[in-house]
Amino acid sequence: MEFIKGKGEVKAEIVVNGAKKFEEYGFEGKDSEVLVLPDKKRVYVGIDEINSENLKIATSNIIKALKKYKFESVEITPPNTKDKDLLLSFFEGFMLGDYEFDKYKSKKAKHLKKVIISGNEELLKTAIRVATIRAKAINFTRD
């Protein structure tokens, strides 16, 4: 999985504390609630509040939800913060959610190829590098 700038096939959004509701789909933006609208190329994930753990779970849920579809990239804006822990959790969630042990399976897992991001490039590069190291270590331990 690579993190790059540009446009993604589907746009993802993290909804904080029910700020957006889609009653026609039964989505209230509650914690860990996911709404995928493939025809509109949108995915929404709810969290109660912005903290490291919630962001990690939310981005992981985005990847898990999109694995069911044929999208190869997702576009999302990272939190507008300089808090390194929040950014680390944001990126780590993508990599942990994408992991699937399929070494002995004949049908290999489908992986999202690109996550399209925007923001402070230097700060994001550092967070991505550290999150990649941590996620690889966690996924290695899972094997």
Side-chain angles (χ1 to χ4, degrees), residues 10-135:
V10 69
K11 189 162 177 78
E13 186 177 335
I14 297 172
V15 178
V16 181
N17 204 17
K20 266 191 181 175
K21 295 182 182 185
F22 296 92
E23 293 171 1
E24 64 272 22
Y25 300 107
F27 179 80
E28 296 180 8
K30 293 181 180 175
D31 198 31
S32 296
E33 190 176 6
V34 180
L35 172 64
V36 180
L37 303 172
D39 53 324
K40 294 182 180 184
K41 297 186 177 186
R42 299 269 190 220
V43 60
Y44 301 93
V45 177
I47 61 174
D48 288 340
E49 62 179 305
I50 296 177
N51 63 41
S52 294
E53 192 62 26
N54 285 349
L55 280 177
K56 189 183 302 183
I57 291 168
T59 54
S60 176
N61 286 341
I62 289 169
I63 293 296
K64 290 176 185 177
L66 290 177
K67 280 185 177 185
K68 299 172 187 165
Y69 302 93
K70 295 182 181 182
F71 297 117
E72 292 187 4
S73 65
V74 61
E75 180 181 343
I76 188 164
T77 303
N80 188 12
T81 181
K82 292 186 181 195
D83 185 330
K84 291 178 184 172
D85 287 334
L86 287 179
L87 291 172
L88 217 103
S89 294
F90 178 83
F91 292 111
E92 198 174 302
F94 280 111
M95 292 177 260
L96 294 176
D98 193 43
Y99 174 80
E100 193 170 321
F101 184 74
D102 60 3
K103 184 176 180 177
Y104 301 108
K105 292 181 179 179
S106 57
K107 186 178 178 187
K108 300 297 181 189
K110 181 181 176 246
H111 299 281
L112 206 65
K113 292 183 169 106
K114 297 175 186 171
V115 176
I116 314 298
I117 55 170
S118 61
N120 180 332
E121 199 167 316
E122 193 58 42
L123 191 61
L124 297 179
K125 277 184 182 179
T126 303
I128 290 168
R129 186 176 45 77
V130 174
T132 300
I133 293 167
R134 285 176 49 175

